[in-house]
Amino acid sequence: MPNTKEIRARINLIQNLQDIVLITIGVLLAAIGLKGFLMPNEFLDGGVTGISLLINRLTGWNISLLLVIINIPFILLAYKQLSVEFTIKAMCAIVGLACALVFIKVPTITSDRLLIAIFGGFFLGAGIGLSVRGGAVLDGTEVLALYINRKTVLSMGEVIMYFNLVIFSVAAILINIETALYAILTYLAASKTVDYVISGFEEYIALTIISNESELVRKTLTLSLKKGVTVFKGQSGYGKRGAVDKDIDIIYTVVTRLEVHKIIDEIEKIDEKAFIVQHNINDTKGGMIKRRATHH
């Protein structure tokens, strides 16, 4: 029988292998997005990748070298602010992408500008998203955003938006407005793909349920559907019959988006008049929820 230490070692090994596979696939997809769509058509994107593409277009300097050099300050920032493991993975992913751009041959897939923006952004976003799920980043902008978020009232999304606004403005001034507009479209396609790859169908929904059959609803959720619940003690306030003063049980549970309709159907079978409120939530930790495989 393996002891606890051996079991943990096996779990860590499996997790590390999974991370390597995700980062490798992410690097390859990002390389396809860059070499098959953006680079041959002189398209731009946001973040460090966008800065590298912009400098490459203006000066002709090697894109792989630019990706590594411009990301160095963000890697150092990650080392100070985050973990050594994350820093090593991020460095390997960025260097891997730089090498992939040098050694992997990808034909130009299309010259249609709209398709370039959409699918170039899609492949690049898919690559970034998979790398994040593997515990790394291909673009140091997120590290900067996390650092500023901790020091100021700005959210990570706002930091990235302002950062990219500067890049797109410079592109509009130094090249032309059309290039900047297509860069914005590429960035939007990439960012939406990143969100989908990281969250996907596992986006979490919190359900608050108020029902006269609360005990039966609770048993159905816990015993039949195997969901964790929390029961709050509440008091009725005002309803269709006017003021109501009685104690009620309020049931709270968190599920994935794919499970929502099934659970609501089961609740309505018990009490078709049950009051159900849905809340989108960003992430969860602990409890009975299986957490997304994201380390960033």
Side-chain angles (χ1 to χ4, degrees):
M1 286 285 293
N3 57 38
T4 304
K5 203 171 189 180
E6 290 174 341
I7 293 172
R8 286 179 178 174
R10 289 180 185 178
I11 292 173
N12 288 335
L13 177 61
I14 293 171
Q15 184 65 64
N16 287 331
L17 290 174
Q18 178 182 314
D19 290 346
I20 291 171
V21 170
L22 288 172
I23 293 170
T24 302
I25 296 173
V27 166
L28 293 175
L29 288 176
I32 291 172
L34 288 169
K35 293 200 73 173
F37 293 93
L38 303 185
M39 289 170 57
N41 295 287
E42 297 187 327
F43 262 55
L44 305 180
D45 184 35
V48 172
T49 307
I51 296 174
S52 302
L53 289 168
L54 179 60
I55 295 175
N56 170 259
R57 179 167 176 178
L58 294 173
T59 65
W61 293 352
N62 185 278
I63 184 71
S64 296
L65 194 60
L66 288 169
L67 280 172
V68 174
I69 292 174
I70 298 174
N71 269 303
I72 287 175
F74 302 106
I75 294 297
L76 295 175
L77 185 62
Y79 177 75
K80 291 182 179 180
Q81 297 295 319
L82 303 172
S83 66
V84 175
E85 181 185 1
F86 172 81
T87 304
I88 293 172
K89 286 182 177 180
M91 187 168 57
C92 290
I94 292 167
V95 172
L97 177 59
C99 292
L101 295 179
V102 173
F103 297 109
I104 296 178
K105 304 299 180 184
V106 180
T108 302
I109 296 173
T110 181
S111 57
D112 183 282
R113 298 177 75 82
L114 185 59
L115 292 178
I116 294 164
I118 294 173
F119 285 97
F122 169 78
F123 278 101
L124 188 57
I128 293 172
L130 287 174
S131 297
V132 170
R133 292 199 71 147
V137 290
L138 292 178
D139 193 304
T141 313
E142 291 188 7
V143 178
L144 176 65
L146 180 61
Y147 174 76
I148 295 177
N149 170 249
R150 289 177 175 178
K151 300 291 184 180
T152 68
V153 296
L154 295 175
S155 69
M156 286 184 64
E158 288 173 334
V159 174
I160 292 172
M161 181 184 69
Y162 295 141
F163 188 89
N164 287 326
L165 186 61
V166 173
I167 297 172
F168 300 145
S169 299
V170 171
I173 294 169
L174 297 182
I175 304 175
N176 55 58
I177 294 177
E178 186 181 74
T179 297
L181 292 176
Y182 274 114
I184 293 171
L185 184 58
T186 304
Y187 165 70
L188 291 175
S191 63
K192 289 298 180 183
T193 306
V194 170
D195 291 341
Y196 178 79
V197 171
I198 294 176
S199 302
F201 290 119
E202 293 182 343
E203 183 179 357
Y204 296 124
I205 305 293
L207 298 178
T208 302
I209 306 152
I210 301 173
S211 168
N212 290 327
E213 303 292 338
S214 57
E215 181 60 19
L216 186 54
V217 170
R218 183 189 68 80
K219 288 181 177 179
T220 300
L221 289 172
T222 55
L223 300 178
S224 299
L225 301 175
K226 307 299 181 185
K227 298 300 172 188
V229 303
T230 299
V231 179
F232 299 103
K233 297 296 181 181
Q235 191 172 43
S236 297
Y238 193 90
K240 291 182 178 179
R241 297 180 180 179
V244 180
D245 185 10
K246 70 172 183 177
D247 293 335
I248 58 172
D249 288 338
I250 302 169
I251 299 171
Y252 181 87
T253 186
V254 177
V255 299
T256 62
R257 182 171 290 280
L258 281 181
E259 299 171 310
V260 169
H261 293 297
K262 177 184 177 181
I263 289 174
I264 291 178
D265 287 343
E266 292 297 321
I267 294 171
E268 290 180 342
K269 288 177 184 177
I270 300 168
D271 181 6
E272 62 180 15
K273 294 183 179 179
F275 181 61
I276 305 171
V277 181
Q278 299 183 37
H279 316 267
N280 290 319
I281 57 178
N282 292 328
D283 206 351
T284 64
K285 183 178 182 180
M288 294 177 66
I289 294 290
K290 183 180 178 183
R291 198 165 185 239
R292 292 190 279 266
T294 304
H295 310 283
H296 175 47

